[in-house]
Amino acid sequence: MPAAAATKPPIEESVSKITRHSHLLAAQLQTLRSQMYPPEAKKTLKTFTSREAAMMVGIAESTLRQMSLDGESAAPELHGKDNRRRAYTLAQINEIREHLAKKRPKEALDFLPRRRAGEKLQIVAVANFKGGSAKTTTTVHLAHFLALQGLRVLAIDLDPQASLSTMFGYQPEIDVEDNQTVYGAIRYDEGQRVPLASVIRKTYFEGIDLVPGNLELMEYEHETPQAIARGDGRGEGMFFRRLGSVIASVEDDYDVVLIDAPPQLGYLTLGALYAASALLVTVHPAMLDVSSMNQFLKMTSDILQVIEENGGHLHHDFIRYVLTRHDPNDVPQVNIVALLRSLFGEDVLAPVVVETTAIASAGLEKKSLYEMARGTVGRDTLNRALESVDSVNQEILNHLKQVWGRT
């Protein structure tokens, strides 16, 4: 008798397999997050030494100590032997800034550079549709840098993958429910639409609020063509005006809005480009990345011309290319940087973000360099990385101040 044929296991359908993998990975990520951040724990911002606090405010450390003794500043936490080591929170540092700005009005903007009456809200879109250009990393570091200067920042995560939200401690498929992204504020269904203020979340980082993202944002990409076909959303309700309109509803609460745009040129990205007063294009100086950026610029140009033909006037106070993950010892990269500078001149930021293990190490911990504790990576490595990122962020802040009419 012939041997019985071996019974093959049934082939799992693709939808079933992908769904199963999604559930497995989500469960594991939740387990890992529970280990890193137990339910009773929340992500917190480190405190700053009196020396660091004095440097941030722009005064001598001895002045800060005397202010504390005189009761002119927030009382720091005392640590170490004999309680001699002082530690300040960012909230306390901002209190000191506000006190000094009132006490020395001629130096007020040096202590607290928030926008004044008549200065427009700065909306900065960070965009590129090439993965690996450090778009989200750039957004996070800029948000943290501006908040450390005392500015009020709103970060909007427009990317359905929600990497920005993850950096702020949110797991998008668990912590962000339906209608809790910007989609809830710009959706076409009026009965379900909510004010932008209702989806803004406070974060652990003093001075930064967040509009989180998740896969729900894809609904806007699917619904917009249908809305256009129906003739919905005219005037301020047109798809490219909707984001800017809802941001205007909260503009009194912030100095700068940062938009982490999706890595593709869809309706959300177009809305971000139209809402923005400034545009940062992140570029990794490698030939494939630059070729991809070329396609991004070509497609953006074509589509924005169509928007202008339909009554959408665009004006950005500045457009800058931010060179990221740059290895100054890589000759092909150096040549590409030289090419970009020769073509675009001052539109390429002079400082660059260098390739460094410090940023990679911080990313693994879902932190920026500004949150890294000394000793986590080598001191020299961390200092070089911070110097690089600080230079880029300071240059961007200088552009914002110029728009506000400050020297």
Side-chain angles (χ1 to χ4, degrees):
M1 292 180 63
T7 303
K8 292 184 179 179
I11 298 175
E12 186 176 8
E13 292 293 334
S14 296
V15 172
S16 173
K17 177 178 284 190
I18 291 171
T19 301
R20 181 169 58 84
H21 288 177
S22 171
H23 292 161
L24 284 171
L25 184 56
Q28 188 60 39
L29 287 173
Q30 177 65 6
T31 299
L32 290 172
R33 192 182 72 153
S34 296
Q35 293 171 354
M36 294 177 65
Y37 306 108
E40 68 276 6
K42 291 184 179 179
K43 211 175 171 192
T44 57
L45 180 60
K46 68 177 185 178
T47 56
F48 301 87
T49 66
S50 57
R51 180 173 178 271
E52 290 171 328
M55 289 180 63
M56 290 166 68
V57 174
I59 57 177
E61 185 178 359
S62 58
T63 302
L64 180 62
R65 288 178 178 272
Q66 190 59 50
M67 288 176 63
S68 178
L69 292 172
D70 294 343
E72 279 193 80
S73 72
E77 298 176 9
L78 300 177
H79 301 283
K81 204 171 186 179
D82 300 325
N83 286 332
R84 291 185 176 181
R85 189 161 58 88
R86 292 171 167 81
Y88 292 85
T89 65
L90 182 54
Q92 290 175 322
I93 292 171
N94 284 338
E95 286 179 29
I96 296 167
R97 285 170 164 149
E98 291 174 1
H99 172 75
L100 288 171
K102 291 176 182 177
K103 185 177 180 180
R104 308 182 197 174
K106 291 183 179 180
E107 303 171 71
L109 286 178
D110 294 329
F111 293 125
L112 198 63
R114 291 175 182 168
R115 68 188 181 104
R116 300 167 297 182
E119 296 176 338
K120 71 176 182 179
L121 176 69
Q122 294 291 289
I123 305 173
V124 182
V126 185
N128 201 335
F129 60 38
K130 176 68 173 71
S133 66
K135 182 173 57 65
T136 298
T137 302
T138 299
T139 306
V140 168
H141 280 90
L142 180 57
H144 288 185
F145 176 84
L146 295 175
L148 289 172
Q149 307 302 309
L151 295 177
R152 302 166 301 166
V153 180
L154 174 63
I156 300 179
D157 193 348
L158 275 193
D159 188 347
Q161 297 178 70
S163 298
L164 182 67
S165 303
T166 302
M167 290 293 287
F168 279 98
Y170 294 103
Q171 190 168 332
E173 67 272 25
I174 294 173
D175 299 323
V176 185
E177 298 180 359
D178 293 346
N179 240 31
Q180 291 187 353
T181 70
V182 80
Y183 169 72
I186 62 175
R187 62 188 301 166
Y188 296 95
D189 180 357
E190 291 187 24
Q192 297 293 319
R193 198 181 308 148
V194 297
L196 181 64
S198 71
V199 298
I200 293 175
R201 303 189 182 196
K202 293 291 181 185
T203 72
Y204 68 94
F205 205 112
E206 174 73 19
I208 302 177
D209 289 349
L210 173 73
V211 177
N214 66 9
L215 289 174
E216 173 186 72
L217 290 164
M218 290 301 298
E219 296 298 320
Y220 190 72
E221 303 292 347
H222 299 151
E223 292 174 3
T224 296
Q226 301 170 25
I228 294 173
R230 292 193 305 266
D232 290 353
R234 299 182 181 279
E236 287 303 307
M238 291 188 74
F239 78 88
F240 57 84
R241 290 194 175 107
R242 298 176 85 87
L243 181 60
S245 294
V246 298
I247 290 174
S249 69
V250 297
E251 68 174 309
D252 290 344
D253 299 327
Y254 302 101
D255 305 303
V256 181
V257 174
L258 298 179
I259 305 175
D260 187 16
Q264 68 269 342
L265 197 56
Y267 296 109
L268 285 169
T269 301
L270 290 174
L273 295 177
Y274 186 81
S277 60
L279 174 61
L280 300 177
V281 181
T282 54
V283 188
H284 176 228
M287 186 53 71
L288 283 176
D289 296 75
V290 172
S291 297
S292 176
M293 184 186 76
N294 181 48
Q295 295 302 310
F296 170 77
L297 295 176
K298 176 68 168 64
M299 292 176 65
T300 302
S301 172
D302 292 344
I303 295 176
L304 292 185
Q305 285 182 37
V306 173
I307 288 178
E308 289 217 328
E309 290 169 2
N310 285 274
H313 176 65
L314 285 106
H315 173 74
H316 294 109
D317 294 314
F318 61 89
I319 297 174
R320 291 294 182 269
Y321 299 93
V322 183
L323 298 170
T324 65
R325 297 174 48 224
H326 176 42
D327 181 355
N329 298 313
D330 185 315
V331 175
Q333 283 198 27
V334 171
N335 290 337
I336 289 175
V337 170
L339 171 66
L340 292 173
R341 293 196 189 283
S342 69
L343 292 173
F344 302 146
E346 66 178 14
D347 288 334
V348 181
L349 278 188
V352 304
V353 179
V354 297
E355 182 80 69
T356 171
T357 56
I359 292 179
S361 298
L364 289 173
E365 298 183 32
K366 297 180 182 175
K367 293 179 178 179
S368 76
L369 292 176
Y370 299 113
E371 301 174 276
M372 294 291 280
R374 298 286 175 178
T376 309
V377 295
R379 177 187 297 178
D380 291 342
T381 300
L382 181 57
N383 286 342
R384 281 195 301 269
L386 278 169
E387 182 180 355
S388 165
V389 171
D390 274 346
S391 297
V392 167
N393 289 333
Q394 183 62 56
E395 187 73 9
I396 295 168
L397 177 56
N398 290 344
H399 284 307
L400 299 178
K401 288 181 176 179
Q402 287 173 7
V403 175
W404 284 334
R406 306 178 193 175
T407 56

